[in-house]
Amino acid sequence: AQKVTQAQTEISVVEKEDVTLDCVYETRDTTYYLFWYKQPPSGELVFLIRRNSFDEQNEISGRYSWNFQKSTSSFNFTITASQVVDSAVYFCALRSNQGGKLIFGQGTELSVKP
Amino acid sequence: GAVVSQHPSRVICKSGTSVKIECRSLDFQATTMFWYRQFPKKSLMLMATSNEGSKATYEQGVEKDKFLINHASLTLSTLTVTSAHPEDSSFYICSARDFLGDINYGYTFGSGTRLTVV
C-alpha cells in the first residue's frame, strides 16, 4: 500500500521564524517520485518540487529547502525566515511508477503571523 | 508554461440537478486527466483517472454513475455530478498530464471548482 503522512495538521509561527513541515511516506516501489505543493486560500495547487527516489541530494531554492532521507522514508520541507505570504496549506505527495496517480498527504496548514 | 483551465470556479445548484465541470489543457495535449475532491481542511482524494478515448477508472468507493467523467478529446475532460445532493458539496480539482510527463513533471492542476448544493 502507498501512503503519505503529514503528522502536523496546523503550524503557527511568527514572521522570520524557520519552520519545517514533515512528510513520511510508504511505498513498496523501488522507483517513485515525491512532490510538494502549496495551496493558498484561493485553492489552486502550486507545484514546488519533485524528487526522484534515486536522487537523495537535498535541494535549496531561495528560502525553501528539502531534506530527502530514504532511510527514514521522509521528505521534509523547511522554510527559512518565513513570511506572511507563506501562509497556505502544504501538501506532500507520492507518485508510484505505475498508473501515474498522485497520493496526497493530509496537508499541513501553515499560518505565518506578522 | 502549461495551463489547465477549469470552469466554473464556483457553482451553486439545487438539490436534484446535475452540474458539469470542465477541465481544458490550453497549450498541451492531456493524455490523462485526474479528478480530485477536497473537503474543507482535508486532503485531496483521487476520484478517478481518465484517459482520452476510453472509460474512466474510478477509485474504490466513488460512484461512477453519480460522477460521470468524459475525456473525449486530448484537451478536454468533464466531470458531471448527477442528481446532486448537499453532501456532494465540495471542492473539485482536475489535473492534466501530458504524454511525456515533461510539463510540471507530469501534473498541471486546474484552479478548482467549489460546488455548493442547496
Side-chain angles (χ1 to χ4, degrees):
Chain A
Q2 296 181 315
K3 187 179 178 181
V4 177
T5 301
Q6 295 178 256
Q8 305 149 307
T9 306
E10 297 179 9
I11 299 177
S12 182
V13 299
V14 177
E15 208 169 18
K16 297 185 182 177
E17 283 186 27
D18 298 347
V19 58
T20 295
L21 282 60
D22 298 333
C23 173
V24 175
Y25 61 93
E26 295 176 29
T27 181
R28 291 182 179 177
D29 292 338
T30 53
T31 301
Y32 52 89
Y33 303 85
L34 295 163
F35 297 75
W36 275 96
Y37 288 91
K38 175 181 180 180
Q39 186 179 41
S42 53
E44 78 274 18
L45 282 176
V46 178
F47 167 80
L48 295 179
I49 191 172
R50 181 189 84 160
R51 246 321 172 237
N52 305 325
S53 56
F54 45 86
D55 181 3
E56 287 194 67
Q57 197 169 17
N58 292 328
E59 182 154 340
I60 298 175
S61 177
R63 297 184 297 107
Y64 296 170
S65 62
W66 291 269
N67 184 290
F68 179 28
Q69 296 278 346
K70 211 168 176 179
S71 60
T72 56
S73 298
S74 66
F75 186 41
N76 297 337
F77 172 32
T78 297
I79 302 175
T80 304
S82 59
Q83 299 176 1
V84 173
V85 293
D86 295 327
S87 297
V89 180
Y90 291 85
F91 289 98
C92 180
L94 166 71
R95 193 198 93 178
S96 75
N97 206 27
Q98 301 169 359
K101 58 187 180 184
L102 286 178
I103 308 297
F104 284 86
Q106 300 91 323
T108 297
E109 183 172 7
L110 174 65
S111 177
V112 182
K113 302 188 184 306
Chain B
V3 176
V4 170
S5 175
Q6 184 172 343
H7 290 283
S9 57
R10 289 179 178 271
V11 58
I12 300 173
C13 71
K14 290 186 177 180
S15 191
T17 62
S18 295
V19 174
K20 180 183 284 188
I21 301 170
E22 289 190 352
C23 185
R24 292 180 185 272
S25 57
L26 297 185
D27 48 5
F28 66 100
Q29 294 184 327
T31 52
T32 303
M33 286 202 180
F34 304 92
W35 286 94
Y36 293 86
R37 180 176 181 176
Q38 185 180 29
F39 291 102
K41 292 189 177 292
K42 296 292 184 182
S43 185
L44 286 84
M45 302 302 297
L46 180 66
M47 299 174 66
T49 302
S50 72
N51 292 297
E52 184 264 339
S54 60
K55 289 185 178 180
T57 301
Y58 289 82
E59 295 297 301
Q60 194 172 8
V62 178
E63 299 177 61
K64 58 183 179 182
D65 293 332
K66 180 165 190 60
F67 299 100
L68 300 178
I69 291 173
N70 184 285
H71 192 167
S73 78
L74 284 172
T75 59
L76 174 64
S77 177
T78 60
L79 167 67
T80 302
V81 183
T82 63
S83 187
H85 290 283
E87 56 265 30
D88 299 324
S89 298
S90 193
F91 187 67
Y92 295 87
I93 190 165
C94 66
S95 173
R97 188 177 183 205
D98 68 293
F99 177 69
L100 295 176
D102 287 340
I103 303 171
N104 289 342
Y105 295 104
Y107 304 95
T108 303
F109 286 85
S111 53
T113 298
R114 193 163 303 281
L115 170 64
T116 303
V117 184
V118 298

